[in-house]
Amino acid sequence: MPGTEMHDKPDGDITRLLDAFGRGEPDAEARLMDLTYRELRKIAAGHMRRERSARSLQATDLVHEAYLRLVDQAAIPWRDRGHFFQAAVHVMRRILIDRARKRHAGKRGGGVPEISLDRALNIAEAHSADLLVLEEALVRLEKVDGRQCQVVEMRFFAGMSEDEIAEVLGVSPRTINREWRMARAWLYKELYG
Amino acid sequence: MTSEHWRRVKSLFEQVLDQPPAACDVFLEESGESPSVVAEVRKLISGDAQAAGFLRNVVSAESSAASLFSSGEPLIKLRFPDEDFRCISGPVTPPRCSSYMIGQTISHYRIHAKLGEGGMGAVYRAQDLSLGREVALKFLPADTVADPQARKRLIKEAQAASRLNHPNIATVYEVNEGENAPFISMELVTGQTLKQIIPPGGLAPAQFLGIARQIAEGLREAHRKGVYHRDIKPGNIMLDSRSQVKILDFGLAAMARQERGLGETEETFTSLTADQNSAGGTVPYMSPEQVRREPADARSDIFSFGVLLYECLSGRRPFRGETSIDVLHAILRQPHTPLRELLTELSPEWEYLVNRCLVKSAGQRCASMDEVLEALRGVAAPAPRSEKSLAVLYFANLSGDREDEYFRDGMTEDIITELAKIRELQVFPRSAVLPFRDNPHTVARISEQLAAAYVLDGSVRRAGSRLRITTQLAEARTGHSVWAERYDRQLEDVFAIQDEIAQSIARALRVVLTEKEKREIEKVPTSEVQAYDYYLRGRQFFYQSRRKDLEFARQMFARAIVIDPGYARAYAGVADSCSTLHMWFGASEDFLSEAVAASRRAVELDPESAEAHASRGLAESLIRNYDGAGKEFEISVRLNPRLFEAYYFYGRAVFAQGRYEKAAGLFVKASEANPDDYQAHALRAGCLRALGRHEEAHEARRDSLRAAEHHLQLHPDDVRAVYLGANALCELGERTRALEWASHALSMDPEEGSVLYNISCAYAVLGETDQSLDCLEKAFAKGFGLREWIEKDPDFASLRSNPRFQALFERFSADRAKSTP
């Protein structure tokens, strides 16, 4: 198994490494990538734990895509582990929204003659449309409450538990629960009145 | 909404959450907040109550409650291997994916049949109406080309590919922009992909070399024209029946579907964002620069080619993992296991080449396909095992009668035996040349595969009492003929011809025969041609080694003896048939007595025959006359130090006495005498386990498995190699594969006692009690099994207390007692 060598304290490590990376220390990038990989694997493992069905594969794929994008962004100076997670999770949101947008756009235009739309396609379309509406609301939420938006990203897009989010953001799980409930209620009302 | 307003809403909302639900209203009214804040909080409270299942988890929408919008369908439904392509993602190519296409004419192509559907869209067999030729049409998934910019780029790339013209590249004839979706017409290639033919343990390096070279030639041509493949993998390499290679899908990697199978690491994919320089590729074969989405050039193809080499040679991929992210990370960060750790016998040149292709930094990698081809030339010429090594190929049977094959086989085998008597020659054993029997081959290929310095080839034609034999000896490296002869004689001259061939070869290779060797070669085994004929028939049956065959073999050898009572080899044949029947098929003690008597007679008749002494050694060991057996085996290997059977059965005899150290040494010798044998390794593993040398035992099991895999490549229907392989996999803890091999063995020969018994052992070790007992019951019903052996067989340890096992064994013992007076 690649990448199974574990460090004792990933939190300290990633923050320190980000620091080293920021100072341009040689080798820091390579080590940072290892950590990125390991942290993302944990997110994927979380998905797997919660979801034993074949669909957990989708979560893995999402993480995999996020990994690729983060590898792309290795030059971004992350401040600390929390910041790294925010970036990772934000990337996941982008991926999902991009996909929905693309699918939705394909439905409308793209010059594809729509002969018979079977059930699966209808559903896919409905979902991507809903997700795009949600995204619009989320953009509004982000403007008034950045942290709530992050919590939604972590919970909803990255599938992290409240405890995991609390740990990453350095606040109590209770706080996260509050933020989450309010954000969820607010988004619900935005979408459904 | 101001941030101050939001702050106040948030604060009040959080306080309300701490209240019992019934008290909320009162709390809000008494909060003293402005009506707009209170109204907002009321809205949120009601939202909170309604939204319990909302936004559970975007990617794992399982039940309706958990789904984003409670439809129960996952938001992002991606592709699983067995799912219908059309359901995966939004816009697909609607009518093109259905049978509706068959019979349609599109542009100047009439569509005949669907060939397949994959990451690149649907593929059809079609007729080019203007040129009359058959082509393959690929329709690209519409969503891939919805973006006009991307579409332009893709078409440009396919057009570049269409300028390639090389025998190892499937030609792209035309890129047609079509009305709705573009399609490509390309050369129709039939055959199998490399992916379909890689066996679990990898291809034989010498066999694979020609394929690797052709792929490299095709790639070199493309790279010279500035065209990169970007998705080199075994699934894109097609082989026709003559092992001619065609690289498929040149220039198409960028057209791969943009949605890809999750976890399904085999899927081709490109980046999701159309604006990036899409690098394409299939996860396990991607180069590090492709993973990073950096521009990919020739060196990227070279990396993928390295992955392909690795997989084809070893049967496993260099970069592996549970999920695609693990694989990607391995590609970027993990070193691969050196090939020769997996394949100890692989030449260092192969490993060196693969390592140079798999360097992670493109700058330090093999820079061009010219370099790769140069390195492949270095791989191509393995040093022959010795200067005077000789492969005697099975002669062609020109008698026009399949019935006569035993004669051709026997003739060839006897020439091998004659030549093997010459110490200075290294002659490949029968098992090494068997794969080439009736298999069109070139001298060059044989020399690659066997590393023989010389190859002897020929033909046999028998018509009535006439015998015509042609034969030629060629130098393997150059293909030059060194000696050739044609014999047109009476059947009676068959031994004289064999002698002449052996002596001529010795002369041609400048080997001076000793007096003893000369005597050995000139010895005529029987003066009766009819006896020889029966003997050869018997030997052919003997090699089939199933119970019925062995019984036939015994009868044939016996008939030979009736005609020529002084025929030592025929006695040895009777002895070996009886010994084997007793050993493997539980034949009665009478057979054992016959084996002992016949083998003693064989030795009396021909005391200088190594084979006769080995036969006697085996028979003596079966009656537990171990001292006598040991003496016979010692004489046998002194007479012929290369006789596999002598070492192998000597090893078994010594093993039965519990002398494991000595036995292990003999099994090593057996493997040296016949490097392709898979049984001696397995027995060596047993010795080492008994000695507590577990690591070495593990290695021996690996050797055994590897040899069995290799053997199965050449003889796919040798069920013994399959069940011994299954047993080795059990011991190695590879449960899944062990179960696969076990069920494969059973499907090959469900009625054969030896198969049933050994698979019963495998199931017992794997804890599949019912299946194990089912097999055992059937094996007993077929009369298979040795009571003493079953009593001790450690494989059944877990079953000994099982009542069904006990009942089976009791009944079996009772039956045996009846049949053995």
Side-chain angles (χ1 to χ4, degrees), chain B residues 129-156:
Chain B
L129 297 174
S130 54
L131 291 170
R133 66 183 168 192
E134 290 228 289
V135 300
L137 287 192
K138 286 203 166 188
F139 288 91
L140 306 177
D143 55 345
T144 315
V145 286
D147 170 12
Q149 275 238 307
R151 179 184 169 128
K152 225 164 138 185
R153 185 166 49 82
L154 303 179
I155 287 172
K156 216 175 117 197

Short mmCIF file of all heavy atoms in Angstrom, two decimals, chain B residues 129-156:
data_model
loop_
_atom_site.label_atom_id
_atom_site.label_comp_id
_atom_site.label_asym_id
_atom_site.label_seq_id
_atom_site.Cartn_x
_atom_site.Cartn_y
_atom_site.Cartn_z
N LEU B 129 -18.52 3.03 -48.47
CA LEU B 129 -19.21 2.77 -49.73
C LEU B 129 -18.43 3.29 -50.93
O LEU B 129 -18.54 2.79 -52.03
CB LEU B 129 -20.61 3.39 -49.71
CG LEU B 129 -21.53 2.78 -48.63
CD1 LEU B 129 -22.84 3.54 -48.56
CD2 LEU B 129 -21.77 1.30 -48.88
N SER B 130 -17.60 4.30 -50.70
CA SER B 130 -16.87 4.83 -51.84
C SER B 130 -15.65 3.97 -52.18
O SER B 130 -15.29 3.82 -53.33
CB SER B 130 -16.47 6.28 -51.59
OG SER B 130 -15.75 6.38 -50.39
N LEU B 131 -15.01 3.41 -51.14
CA LEU B 131 -13.80 2.63 -51.41
C LEU B 131 -14.03 1.13 -51.28
O LEU B 131 -13.15 0.33 -51.58
CB LEU B 131 -12.69 3.06 -50.45
CG LEU B 131 -12.15 4.47 -50.70
CD1 LEU B 131 -11.23 4.89 -49.57
CD2 LEU B 131 -11.42 4.54 -52.03
N GLY B 132 -15.20 0.77 -50.77
CA GLY B 132 -15.52 -0.65 -50.67
C GLY B 132 -14.86 -1.37 -49.51
O GLY B 132 -15.07 -2.54 -49.30
N ARG B 133 -14.02 -0.69 -48.74
CA ARG B 133 -13.33 -1.41 -47.67
C ARG B 133 -14.12 -1.35 -46.36
O ARG B 133 -14.96 -0.47 -46.17
CB ARG B 133 -11.94 -0.84 -47.46
CG ARG B 133 -11.96 0.58 -46.94
CD ARG B 133 -10.56 1.14 -46.81
NE ARG B 133 -10.63 2.59 -46.57
CZ ARG B 133 -9.59 3.40 -46.65
NH1 ARG B 133 -8.41 2.93 -46.97
NH2 ARG B 133 -9.73 4.69 -46.41
N GLU B 134 -13.80 -2.29 -45.48
CA GLU B 134 -14.41 -2.31 -44.16
C GLU B 134 -13.61 -1.40 -43.24
O GLU B 134 -12.37 -1.36 -43.31
CB GLU B 134 -14.37 -3.73 -43.60
CG GLU B 134 -15.30 -4.68 -44.31
CD GLU B 134 -16.12 -5.45 -43.30
OE1 GLU B 134 -15.55 -6.31 -42.63
OE2 GLU B 134 -17.34 -5.16 -43.16
N VAL B 135 -14.31 -0.71 -42.41
CA VAL B 135 -13.62 0.21 -41.49
C VAL B 135 -14.26 0.10 -40.11
O VAL B 135 -15.31 -0.51 -39.94
CB VAL B 135 -13.74 1.68 -41.96
CG1 VAL B 135 -13.13 1.86 -43.34
CG2 VAL B 135 -15.20 2.13 -41.97
N ALA B 136 -13.59 0.69 -39.15
CA ALA B 136 -14.18 0.87 -37.82
C ALA B 136 -14.56 2.34 -37.71
O ALA B 136 -13.77 3.21 -38.04
CB ALA B 136 -13.19 0.50 -36.74
N LEU B 137 -15.79 2.60 -37.29
CA LEU B 137 -16.22 3.98 -37.10
C LEU B 137 -16.34 4.26 -35.61
O LEU B 137 -16.97 3.51 -34.88
CB LEU B 137 -17.60 4.23 -37.73
CG LEU B 137 -17.71 4.31 -39.24
CD1 LEU B 137 -19.09 4.86 -39.60
CD2 LEU B 137 -16.62 5.20 -39.85
N LYS B 138 -15.73 5.34 -35.21
CA LYS B 138 -15.85 5.73 -33.80
C LYS B 138 -16.64 7.01 -33.71
O LYS B 138 -16.26 8.01 -34.32
CB LYS B 138 -14.46 5.97 -33.20
CG LYS B 138 -13.73 4.71 -32.95
CD LYS B 138 -12.66 4.86 -31.89
CE LYS B 138 -12.24 3.46 -31.49
NZ LYS B 138 -11.36 3.42 -30.35
N PHE B 139 -17.73 6.96 -32.96
CA PHE B 139 -18.50 8.17 -32.72
C PHE B 139 -18.10 8.73 -31.38
O PHE B 139 -18.05 8.00 -30.39
CB PHE B 139 -20.00 7.87 -32.74
CG PHE B 139 -20.48 7.58 -34.13
CD1 PHE B 139 -20.48 6.28 -34.61
CD2 PHE B 139 -20.90 8.61 -34.95
CE1 PHE B 139 -20.90 6.01 -35.89
CE2 PHE B 139 -21.33 8.34 -36.23
CZ PHE B 139 -21.33 7.04 -36.71
N LEU B 140 -17.81 9.99 -31.35
CA LEU B 140 -17.34 10.56 -30.11
C LEU B 140 -18.52 10.98 -29.26
O LEU B 140 -19.53 11.44 -29.79
CB LEU B 140 -16.45 11.75 -30.42
CG LEU B 140 -15.34 11.37 -31.38
CD1 LEU B 140 -14.51 12.57 -31.75
CD2 LEU B 140 -14.46 10.29 -30.78
N PRO B 141 -18.41 10.82 -27.98
CA PRO B 141 -19.51 11.21 -27.11
C PRO B 141 -19.80 12.70 -27.29
O PRO B 141 -18.87 13.51 -27.30
CB PRO B 141 -18.99 10.94 -25.71
CG PRO B 141 -17.72 10.19 -25.88
CD PRO B 141 -17.24 10.37 -27.26
N ALA B 142 -21.06 13.03 -27.44
CA ALA B 142 -21.41 14.40 -27.79
C ALA B 142 -20.98 15.40 -26.71
O ALA B 142 -20.54 16.50 -27.03
CB ALA B 142 -22.91 14.51 -28.02
N ASP B 143 -21.07 14.98 -25.45
CA ASP B 143 -20.74 15.95 -24.41
C ASP B 143 -19.26 16.32 -24.44
O ASP B 143 -18.86 17.38 -24.01
CB ASP B 143 -21.16 15.45 -23.02
CG ASP B 143 -20.56 14.09 -22.72
OD1 ASP B 143 -20.09 13.42 -23.65
OD2 ASP B 143 -20.58 13.71 -21.55
N THR B 144 -18.47 15.42 -24.99
CA THR B 144 -17.05 15.69 -25.08
C THR B 144 -16.78 16.84 -26.02
O THR B 144 -15.83 17.60 -25.87
CB THR B 144 -16.31 14.45 -25.62
OG1 THR B 144 -16.82 13.32 -24.95
CG2 THR B 144 -14.83 14.57 -25.43
N VAL B 145 -17.62 16.91 -27.03
CA VAL B 145 -17.31 17.87 -28.09
C VAL B 145 -18.32 19.01 -28.14
O VAL B 145 -18.43 19.69 -29.14
CB VAL B 145 -17.23 17.15 -29.45
CG1 VAL B 145 -15.95 16.35 -29.52
CG2 VAL B 145 -18.42 16.26 -29.66
N ALA B 146 -19.07 19.19 -27.06
CA ALA B 146 -20.05 20.27 -27.03
C ALA B 146 -19.34 21.62 -27.11
O ALA B 146 -19.82 22.55 -27.75
CB ALA B 146 -20.88 20.17 -25.76
N ASP B 147 -18.20 21.70 -26.47
CA ASP B 147 -17.45 22.94 -26.47
C ASP B 147 -16.72 23.07 -27.81
O ASP B 147 -15.88 22.24 -28.15
CB ASP B 147 -16.47 22.90 -25.29
CG ASP B 147 -15.48 24.04 -25.34
OD1 ASP B 147 -15.70 24.97 -26.14
OD2 ASP B 147 -14.51 23.98 -24.58
N PRO B 148 -17.06 24.10 -28.58
CA PRO B 148 -16.51 24.19 -29.93
C PRO B 148 -14.98 24.25 -29.95
O PRO B 148 -14.34 23.71 -30.84
CB PRO B 148 -17.11 25.47 -30.50
CG PRO B 148 -17.83 26.15 -29.38
CD PRO B 148 -17.99 25.18 -28.27
N GLN B 149 -14.41 24.90 -28.94
CA GLN B 149 -12.95 25.00 -28.88
C GLN B 149 -12.30 23.65 -28.69
O GLN B 149 -11.37 23.27 -29.40
CB GLN B 149 -12.57 25.90 -27.70
CG GLN B 149 -12.60 27.37 -28.07
CD GLN B 149 -11.25 27.99 -27.81
OE1 GLN B 149 -10.72 27.86 -26.72
NE2 GLN B 149 -10.68 28.60 -28.82
N ALA B 150 -12.86 22.93 -27.72
CA ALA B 150 -12.33 21.60 -27.44
C ALA B 150 -12.49 20.73 -28.67
O ALA B 150 -11.59 19.99 -29.07
CB ALA B 150 -13.07 20.98 -26.26
N ARG B 151 -13.63 20.86 -29.30
CA ARG B 151 -13.94 20.07 -30.47
C ARG B 151 -12.91 20.30 -31.58
O ARG B 151 -12.41 19.37 -32.20
CB ARG B 151 -15.34 20.47 -30.95
CG ARG B 151 -15.82 19.77 -32.17
CD ARG B 151 -17.17 20.36 -32.53
NE ARG B 151 -17.60 19.92 -33.84
CZ ARG B 151 -18.81 19.38 -34.05
NH1 ARG B 151 -19.65 19.22 -33.05
NH2 ARG B 151 -19.15 19.01 -35.25
N LYS B 152 -12.56 21.55 -31.75
CA LYS B 152 -11.59 21.92 -32.77
C LYS B 152 -10.23 21.26 -32.48
O LYS B 152 -9.59 20.68 -33.35
CB LYS B 152 -11.41 23.44 -32.77
CG LYS B 152 -11.41 24.06 -34.15
CD LYS B 152 -11.62 25.54 -34.00
CE LYS B 152 -10.74 26.36 -34.90
NZ LYS B 152 -10.92 27.79 -34.62
N ARG B 153 -9.86 21.34 -31.21
CA ARG B 153 -8.56 20.80 -30.82
C ARG B 153 -8.52 19.28 -31.03
O ARG B 153 -7.54 18.73 -31.53
CB ARG B 153 -8.31 21.12 -29.34
CG ARG B 153 -6.96 20.73 -28.83
CD ARG B 153 -6.68 21.39 -27.48
NE ARG B 153 -7.78 21.24 -26.53
CZ ARG B 153 -7.98 20.16 -25.80
NH1 ARG B 153 -7.17 19.14 -25.92
NH2 ARG B 153 -9.00 20.09 -24.96
N LEU B 154 -9.62 18.65 -30.66
CA LEU B 154 -9.68 17.19 -30.79
C LEU B 154 -9.58 16.78 -32.25
O LEU B 154 -8.89 15.85 -32.61
CB LEU B 154 -10.99 16.67 -30.20
CG LEU B 154 -11.25 17.01 -28.75
CD1 LEU B 154 -12.59 16.47 -28.30
CD2 LEU B 154 -10.15 16.47 -27.86
N ILE B 155 -10.30 17.50 -33.08
CA ILE B 155 -10.30 17.14 -34.49
C ILE B 155 -8.93 17.35 -35.09
O ILE B 155 -8.43 16.55 -35.87
CB ILE B 155 -11.41 17.92 -35.23
CG1 ILE B 155 -12.76 17.33 -34.84
CG2 ILE B 155 -11.20 17.87 -36.74
CD1 ILE B 155 -13.96 18.09 -35.31
N LYS B 156 -8.28 18.41 -34.65
CA LYS B 156 -6.94 18.68 -35.15
C LYS B 156 -6.00 17.52 -34.79
O LYS B 156 -5.21 17.05 -35.61
CB LYS B 156 -6.42 19.98 -34.53
CG LYS B 156 -5.56 20.79 -35.48
CD LYS B 156 -5.18 22.12 -34.86
CE LYS B 156 -3.68 22.20 -34.69
NZ LYS B 156 -3.25 23.24 -33.78
#
